């Protein structure tokens, strides 16, 4: 019988190889998005399939079962043979990774992967032609396969909860629904108040901003908030993302449009926020299953904190507007500080999620969250989706898409089989506001910190309270540990209410 330390050592050896294979896949994918010649797409697919197969072999290797037996793991991966919080988390996460793969039949995995490729191709075409009926059978198949997989992973459990668990471990839809209901009614009042005022003038944002200077400014900000270029790099891709190719190689991408300066700037800050989380994970977890953000929601809390709480604050622009004016003197001539600040915080209901502002963004997500729950619980037919989408937009944002391309086919997620993913975007906003409240208690107001060039203190606080732990704590436990209470919508509503009542000049209580 091996002792506990021998078992953990053996796990780490196996785990290291799994992590390295994941890093190799991330490198191949990063290269695919940033620089692959178009005719090399099939070559790359073959390479990825090979490495993916090797990864799969390592995840289900026989040794794991023996190890978990010797550690006397329960169905949830709990082992009484290990003592510390770190060891318990380590065994639990290794177990979950193994169990999930073991429970889904290989045939189903292959079918899911095949149907996902077909569905994505069909979605691209159907969206281009605004033809939902061409996409519908693919979505039906993908939903059915996802239900089947969820039932295999956790028989008897709510299917939606199992699907969401992939992205937000341990979070149940009943709780999320409750939090989102409170959020929704609070936001409706704020949005009503905003819409009775004239929107700020944002004409200056539509001018042409040369891309090289946008890039210069974006990098300046990334360095200022602490993103480490010696352990990362910035490239261009069609859709911005961040990816970890190794503990010392956390890359981010962005894209620039000459006539949409804000989009490039905020995707730079957003992705750097994701990068900071990964760069801040404690060294002791590097190259293990714990070396990752603990959930997509917590990940998103970090990117949105830097993008919105910091990057759209008055204090931030007090500090950075003059350097920006230095780069774009013509465009920003005669634009006052206040005009600029109001411009970057303009609120306007729109049909497209990725263009949404801080106030209306949540509605886009809540709509998708409700629709996808209904779909996987078979309370709604896929054929009814376009109409349900239109009526949901009409009743919440008072606008409705003319085409399904701008409606239920606008996002890639469902076509890629990502169901249960959407809520993490809003959870991120809520976590960010709840964490910020504690940070301000510890360090003083964020405005004060920015004005006094103490952004480093903000990052240290995040590293210490959130980043360094990697996956040791579940999102729920982390939230409780950092803020002393479960996630709720109050802090985000208070943040939004205060900020926008000040900008638009209405009473908020
Ligand atoms: Zn993000």
């Amino acid at each position: 019988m091996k002792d506990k330390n021998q078992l953990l050592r053996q796990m780490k050896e196996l785990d290291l190889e799994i992590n390295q294979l994941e890093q190799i896949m991330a490198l191949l994918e990063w290269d695919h998005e940033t620089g692959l010649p178009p005719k090399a797409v099939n070559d790359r697919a073959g390479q990825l399939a090979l490495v993916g197969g090797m990864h799969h072999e390592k995840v289900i290797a026989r040794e794991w079962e023996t190890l978990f037996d010797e550690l006397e793991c329960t169905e949830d991966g709990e082992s009484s043979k290990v003592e510390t919080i770190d060891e318990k988390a380590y065994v639990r996460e290794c177990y979950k990774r193994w169990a999930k793969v073991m429970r889904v039949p290989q045939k189903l995995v292959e079918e899911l992967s095949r149907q996902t490729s077909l569905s994505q191709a069909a979605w691209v075409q159907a969206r281009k032609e605004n033809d939902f009926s061409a996409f519908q059978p693919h979505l039906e198949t993908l939903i059915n396969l996802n239900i089947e997989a969820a039932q295999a992973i956790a028989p008897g459990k709510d299917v939606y909860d199992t699907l969401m668990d992939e992205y937000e471990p341990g979070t149940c839809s009943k709780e999320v629904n409750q939090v989102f209901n409170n959020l929704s009614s609070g936001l409706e009042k704020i949005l009503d108040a905003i819409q009775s005022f004239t929107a700020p003038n944002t004409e200056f944002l539509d001018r042409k901003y040369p891309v090289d200077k946008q890039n210069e400014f974006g990098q300046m900000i990334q360095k200022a908030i602490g993103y480490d270029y010696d352990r990362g790099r910035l490239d261009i891709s069609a859709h911005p993302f961040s990816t970890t190719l190794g503990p010392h190689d956390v890359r981010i991408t962005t894209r620039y449009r000459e006539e949409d300066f804000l989009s490039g700037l905020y995707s730079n800050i957003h992705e750097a926020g994701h990068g900071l989380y990964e760069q801040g994970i404690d060294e002791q977890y590097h190259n293990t299953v714990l070396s990752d953000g603990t959930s997509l929601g917590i990940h998103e809390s970090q990117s949105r904190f830097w993008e919105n709480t910091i990057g759209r604050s008055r204090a931030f622009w007090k500090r950075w507007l003059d350097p920006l004016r230095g780069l774009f003197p013509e465009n920003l001539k005669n634009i006052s500080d206040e005009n600029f600040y109001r411009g970057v915080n303009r609120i306007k209901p729109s049909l497209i999620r990725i263009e949404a502002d801080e106030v209306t963004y949540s509605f886009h997500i809540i709509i998708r969250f409700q629709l996808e729950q209904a779909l996987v619980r078979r309370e709604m037919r896929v054929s009814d989706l376009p109409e349900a989408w239109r009526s949901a937009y009409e009743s919440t944002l008072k606008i409705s898409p003319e085409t399904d391309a701008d409606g239920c086919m606008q996002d890639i997620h469902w076509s890629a089989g990502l169901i249960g993913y959407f809520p993490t975007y809003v959870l991120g906003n809520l976590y960010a506001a709840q964490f910020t409240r504690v940070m301000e208690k510890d360090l003083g107001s964020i405005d004060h910190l920015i004005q006094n060039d103490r952004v480093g203190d903000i990052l240290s606080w995040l590293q210490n309270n959130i980043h360094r732990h990697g996956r040791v704590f579940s999102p729920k436990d982390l939230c409780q540990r950092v803020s002393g209470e479960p996630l709720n919508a109050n802090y985000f509503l208070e943040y939004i209410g205060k900020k926008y009542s000040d900008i638009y000049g209405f009473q908020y209580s």
Side-chain angles (χ1 to χ4, degrees):
M1 195 76 176
K2 289 174 187 156
D3 74 13
K4 175 199 81 178
N5 290 330
Q6 280 174 308
L7 295 172
L8 286 173
R9 227 180 356 259
Q10 203 186 335
M11 284 174 86
K12 285 199 173 143
E13 279 166 24
L14 293 169
D15 191 19
L16 171 66
E17 291 184 345
I18 293 175
N19 272 274
Q20 287 173 325
L21 286 167
E22 281 165 4
Q23 292 157 11
I24 292 167
M25 287 194 279
L27 172 60
L28 292 173
E29 277 157 4
W30 169 84
D31 177 68
H32 188 177
E33 300 300 321
T34 55
L36 191 74
K39 289 192 174 166
V41 170
N42 285 337
D43 304 338
R44 180 53 42 89
Q47 295 152 3
L48 264 167
L50 175 67
V51 184
M54 291 162 74
H55 176 262
H56 181 78
E57 293 291 312
K58 298 274 177 201
V59 170
I60 59 160
R62 274 198 162 267
E63 292 98 309
W64 285 112
E65 190 167 6
T66 319
L67 282 163
F68 296 133
D69 278 348
E70 293 201 40
L71 284 162
E72 293 170 9
C73 282
T74 65
E75 286 271 288
D76 299 319
E78 303 296 333
S79 162
S80 54
K81 295 240 163 166
V82 290
E83 290 125 41
T84 67
I85 292 178
D86 280 358
E87 287 171 353
K88 283 188 179 300
Y90 186 61
V91 173
R92 184 192 66 223
E93 292 302 316
C94 282
Y95 182 87
K96 275 169 64 178
R97 177 179 60 197
W98 171 80
K100 205 169 262 180
V101 176
M102 293 301 284
R103 284 174 193 159
V104 186
Q106 187 56 23
K107 243 185 117 188
L108 179 54
V109 174
E110 282 162 18
E111 189 56 11
L112 252 169
S113 143
R114 200 176 71 86
Q115 289 295 345
T116 303
S117 317
L118 291 175
S119 160
Q120 270 186 284
W123 168 74
V124 171
Q125 197 60 24
R127 190 165 173 244
K128 212 190 280 168
E129 289 162 9
N130 186 36
D131 179 8
F132 181 76
S133 66
F135 176 52
Q136 185 186 317
H138 292 276
L139 186 56
E140 279 163 356
T141 309
L142 263 191
I143 287 172
N144 290 339
L145 291 172
N146 268 287
I147 292 173
E148 218 181 300
Q151 284 166 342
I153 292 169
K157 191 175 157 182
D158 176 71
V159 167
Y160 189 83
D161 283 0
T162 306
L163 293 173
M164 191 168 62
D165 195 74
E166 176 75 20
Y167 315 107
E168 206 60 24
T171 304
C172 84
S173 55
K174 199 170 160 214
E175 291 164 355
V176 176
N177 272 307
Q178 237 158 38
V179 173
F180 281 10
N181 284 346
N182 295 339
L183 174 66
S184 218
S185 54
L187 282 178
E188 269 165 30
K189 283 183 209 137
I190 297 171
L191 185 59
D192 278 351
I194 290 173
Q195 287 189 302
S196 57
F197 291 87
T198 323
N201 173 20
T202 53
E203 179 276 325
F204 67 95
L205 290 172
D206 302 329
R207 296 173 188 170
K208 287 198 166 173
Y209 290 76
V211 162
D212 55 337
K213 294 205 170 145
Q214 286 192 43
N215 188 47
E216 189 180 330
F217 188 70
Q219 294 204 24
M220 206 191 300
I221 300 295
Q222 286 171 340
K223 283 178 191 153
I225 64 175
Y227 176 75
D228 184 355
Y229 272 94
D230 288 334
R231 298 174 62 212
R233 53 180 281 154
L234 175 69
D235 292 271
I236 303 290
S237 66
H239 303 284
F241 64 97
S242 68
T243 180
T244 297
L245 311 186
H248 304 290
D249 190 353
V250 180
R251 303 189 187 189
I252 51 182
T253 72
T254 191
R255 56 154 159 56
Y256 300 109
R257 284 194 224 111
E258 211 170 27
E259 70 294 350
D260 190 357
F261 150 75
L262 283 190
S263 146
L265 172 64
Y266 284 115
S267 85
N268 265 322
I269 304 180
H270 182 98
E271 297 308 329
H274 281 302
L276 287 171
Y277 188 3
E278 300 271 324
Q279 287 183 336
I281 294 172
D282 198 292
E283 252 181 62
Q284 62 173 313
Y285 308 128
H286 284 178
N287 288 312
T288 75
V289 72
L290 297 176
S291 173
D292 198 354
T294 190
S295 73
L296 291 190
I298 301 290
H299 234 301
E300 203 61 12
S301 78
Q302 298 309 293
S303 53
R304 290 196 177 250
F305 169 78
W306 289 105
E307 178 190 350
N308 292 331
T309 320
I310 300 286
R312 289 183 205 266
S313 67
R314 199 178 246 125
F316 178 85
W317 285 112
K318 237 181 212 151
R319 167 70 185 78
W320 288 103
L321 189 52
D322 277 340
L324 187 72
R325 285 189 178 114
L327 285 169
F328 304 106
E330 278 307 306
N331 287 355
L332 298 171
K333 202 161 61 185
N334 304 326
I335 304 298
S336 70
D337 291 11
E338 191 57 21
N339 189 179
F340 187 89
Y341 170 66
R342 289 167 63 95
V344 301
N345 285 295
R346 178 185 158 136
I347 302 301
K348 190 169 186 275
S350 77
L351 292 171
I352 307 299
R353 176 184 66 86
I354 57 166
E355 289 167 11
D357 54 68
E358 269 190 295
V359 177
T360 57
Y361 188 83
S362 301
F363 292 115
H364 291 266
I365 298 304
I366 293 170
I367 290 170
R368 287 156 178 73
F369 174 57
Q370 282 162 352
L371 293 174
E372 65 181 14
Q373 286 180 87
L375 287 171
V376 301
R377 294 192 182 121
R378 301 203 194 279
E379 293 157 1
M380 188 177 87
R381 286 190 308 240
V382 174
S383 55
D384 295 332
L385 183 59
E387 199 38 54
W389 182 286
R390 272 191 285 278
S391 88
Y393 267 79
E394 190 57 57
S395 67
T396 52
L397 290 172
K398 316 281 181 278
I399 46 175
S400 162
E402 279 178 19
T403 66
D404 294 332
D406 282 343
C408 65
M409 286 198 290
Q410 69 179 261
D411 288 306
I412 192 172
H413 302 63
W414 289 336
S415 77
L418 303 173
I419 300 166
Y421 185 120
F422 278 123
T424 67
Y425 290 122
V426 165
L427 293 173
N429 285 336
L430 306 185
Y431 281 128
Q434 199 156 324
F435 295 155
T436 302
R437 161 63 73 94
V438 187
M439 181 195 290
E440 291 195 310
K441 254 190 209 158
D442 291 351
L443 302 178
S445 87
I446 297 226
D447 282 1
H448 186 260
L449 293 168
I450 299 173
Q451 273 162 21
N452 290 285
D453 262 330
R454 286 178 57 201
V455 175
D457 291 1
I458 296 177
L459 179 58
S460 299
W461 189 94
L462 292 170
Q463 283 170 338
N464 199 31
N465 286 280
I466 296 158
H467 302 175
R468 72 184 170 95
H469 300 300
R471 290 185 81 96
V472 171
F473 301 107
S474 71
K476 257 185 172 175
D477 289 350
L478 187 70
C479 182
Q480 186 71 37
R481 205 184 131 93
V482 174
S483 71
E485 57 182 320
L487 181 71
N488 64 73
N490 302 345
Y491 301 109
F492 181 70
L493 283 171
E494 197 180 307
Y495 157 73
I496 292 288
K498 263 193 185 157
K499 178 172 173 177
Y500 289 94
S501 61
D502 169 58
I503 294 179
Y504 283 84
F506 60 87
Q507 279 293 330
Y508 176 74
S509 54

